[in-house]
Amino acid sequence: MYADRATDSMRTAIDETNRRRARQTAYNEEHGITPQSIVKQIDQILSSVYERDYLTPAPERGTAERFRTQAELDAHVQSLKEQMKAAAADLDFEKAAALRDRMRALRGAETGFPRVAEGRS
């Protein structure tokens, strides 16, 4: 801590830190523990971050050969909607978002126009 003078609250905090340090040191000596820093390679840390951020998108499938009628398309979109709601209820928001995007792509293919993000300017 840096200050021009030590306040009562600073002294209290420092005293508490010293008390805890002494207690930890006594415990370590009693149990033969030598404190050591954690040693990790930087690439281990970064690879775990990359793995969490990585998502493989599902391959796009053509809709022309899949749906022969509008009723088939509507039934499939309704099925996706139910799956999306179930995924959201299970707090699997990534799956729910992927299903939502798939529904939007199908609806865009239905009209022949690409789907534009809603609510964005």
Side-chain angles (χ1 to χ4, degrees), residues 38-52:
I38 295 174
V39 178
K40 284 189 176 184
Q41 297 289 333
I42 188 72
D43 59 339
Q44 289 175 331
I45 296 167
L46 291 177
S47 67
S48 67
V49 171
Y50 290 137
E51 289 170 7
R52 284 193 302 259

Side-chain angles (χ1 to χ4, degrees), residues 5 7 9 20 35 41 54 57 59 61-62 69 78 88-89 93 97 100 108 111 117-118 120:
R5 63 182 182 87
T7 63
S9 59
R20 290 180 184 184
Q41 297 289 333
Y54 185 72
R61 293 178 240 155
T69 65
Q78 184 61 32
F93 299 116
R100 177 204 62 210
T111 61
E118 296 174 4
R120 296 184 186 181

Side-chain angles (χ1 to χ4, degrees), residues 89-104:
D90 292 338
L91 304 179
D92 189 355
F93 299 116
E94 289 178 1
K95 182 178 180 182
L99 290 166
R100 177 204 62 210
D101 294 343
R102 182 72 184 132
M103 285 189 318
R104 287 181 177 174

